[in-house]
């Protein structure tokens, strides 16, 4: 199975900061990468698919990039509601696999 | 209003069986792939299995292959997960998710558009 390695595993930042989370695939996955946000006690929500396509209704401060093995999720200006855990997902082949998560905390 | 409601979780002994159900409403169920994703307490997301819109294809994580079976009934707008030979490491909150699988040109992608609230499975003696 393809492994998705996320970094960092945790991150402290302030409102208004620009933050970047990365995901590296253990083999090339074209642009078959998505990003999800999860808040405590809630189901995850889709942010980005196909590496860079913003899902409907997601604020434009979220963006994604990358192809092949390296992918990034960027939040251009952190808002209070963005403090959560973020996961990447590869859907290049089966079984689909998630990264281990990045917990974004308030500094 | 879109809803996915999971049920069937509970406490089961190692080696036992459990069948989860997920009932959908508010969207055209047979236009979506359906997926089970789990999350062990305090841990990350773990992809378990999915099933094509018409039920013709099914895929499983290596950790559950041969023990879990996914199925769906489009007439009942429901997807199921039969879990046999359960192990302690299967303890988790099990989510069902609906994937509209959008395409861009000739490429198809996974999008978990809708999620349930999860049902908790605890495997313990």
């Amino acid at each position: 199975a393809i492994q998705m390695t996320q970094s960092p595993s945790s991150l402290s930042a302030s409102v208004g900061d620009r933050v970047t989370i990365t995901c590296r695939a253990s083999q090339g996955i074209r642009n078959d990468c998505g990003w999800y946000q999860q808040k405590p006690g809630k189901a995850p929500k889709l942010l980005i698919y196909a590496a860079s396509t913003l899902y409907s209704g997601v604020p434009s401060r979220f963006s994604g990039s990358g192809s092949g093995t390296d992918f990034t999720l960027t939040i251009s200006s952190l808002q209070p509601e963005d403090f959560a855990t973020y996961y990447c997902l590869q859907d290049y082949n089966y079984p689909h696999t998630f990264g281990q998560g990045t917990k974004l905390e308030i500094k | 209003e879109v809803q996915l409601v999971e049920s069937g979780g509970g406490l089961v002994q190692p080696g036992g069986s459990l069948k989860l159900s997920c009932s959908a409403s508010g969207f055209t169920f047979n236009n979506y792939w359906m997926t089970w994703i789990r999350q062990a307490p305090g841990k990350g997301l773990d992809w378990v299995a999915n099933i094509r819109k018409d039920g013709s294809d099914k895929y499983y994580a290596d950790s559950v292959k041969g023990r879990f079976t996914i199925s769906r009934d489009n007439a009942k707008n429901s997807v199921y997960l039969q879990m046999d030979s359960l192990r302690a490491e299967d303890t988790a909150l099990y989510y069902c998710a609906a994937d509209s699988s959008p395409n861009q040109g000739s490429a198809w992608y996974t999008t978990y558009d809708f999620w349930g609230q999860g049902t908790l499975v605890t495997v313990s003696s």
Side-chain angles (χ1 to χ4, degrees):
Chain A
I2 296 173
Q3 291 187 19
M4 299 294 283
T5 303
Q6 261 182 263
S7 60
S9 56
S10 64
L11 175 60
S12 293
S14 301
V15 173
D17 284 353
R18 178 185 180 90
V19 300
T20 297
I21 298 168
T22 65
C23 219
R24 174 163 288 177
S26 58
Q27 67 179 74
I29 59 169
R30 299 181 307 197
N31 67 334
D32 296 334
C33 178
W35 292 93
Y36 291 79
Q37 177 195 67
Q38 187 180 33
K39 296 181 179 179
K42 300 293 187 182
K45 292 184 177 180
L46 175 62
L47 300 174
I48 301 279
Y49 68 97
S52 60
T53 301
L54 194 67
Y55 187 63
S56 175
V58 175
S60 59
R61 63 180 180 273
F62 291 93
S63 64
S65 65
S67 67
T69 59
D70 295 317
F71 301 88
T72 61
L73 172 71
T74 299
I75 310 172
S76 60
S77 178
L78 273 174
Q79 298 301 301
E81 60 268 28
D82 300 336
F83 292 94
T85 300
Y86 294 84
Y87 296 91
C88 60
L89 168 78
Q90 72 80 17
D91 60 313
Y92 175 74
N93 67 10
Y94 288 107
H96 292 177
T97 44
F98 287 94
Q100 78 276 19
T102 295
K103 187 173 184 179
L104 179 52
E105 298 174 306
I106 301 173
K107 185 183 287 183
Chain B
E1 180 194 6
V2 169
Q3 275 198 310
L4 288 171
V5 179
E6 301 96 336
S7 59
L11 176 62
V12 61
Q13 291 189 337
S17 297
L18 214 52
K19 186 173 184 177
L20 306 183
S21 300
C22 172
S23 178
S25 60
F27 64 99
T28 306
F29 183 73
N30 59 11
N31 283 350
Y32 288 73
W33 286 68
M34 294 300 297
T35 302
W36 287 96
I37 294 162
R38 66 186 180 183
Q39 188 167 35
K43 302 297 184 182
L45 301 174
D46 185 27
W47 189 91
V48 175
N50 76 347
I51 186 167
R52 189 180 288 273
K53 301 172 188 181
D54 61 1
S56 59
D57 289 305
K58 305 171 186 181
Y59 300 93
Y60 298 92
D62 294 342
S63 59
V64 307
K65 200 173 294 183
R67 301 188 298 122
F68 290 11
T69 303
I70 190 170
S71 61
R72 66 189 294 160
D73 185 337
N74 285 347
K76 295 183 177 180
N77 286 354
S78 294
V79 61
Y80 309 98
L81 188 67
Q82 175 67 45
M83 304 186 296
D84 299 320
S85 303
L86 282 161
R87 306 168 180 168
E89 54 266 34
D90 296 317
T91 294
L93 185 66
Y94 283 72
Y95 293 104
C96 67
D99 168 16
S100 61
S101 190
N103 69 298
Q104 294 178 354
S106 60
W108 297 81
Y109 298 95
T110 293
T111 58
Y112 299 128
D113 303 76
F114 312 128
W115 296 69
Q117 82 291 347
T119 186
L120 183 62
V121 172
T122 303
V123 184
S124 175
S125 54

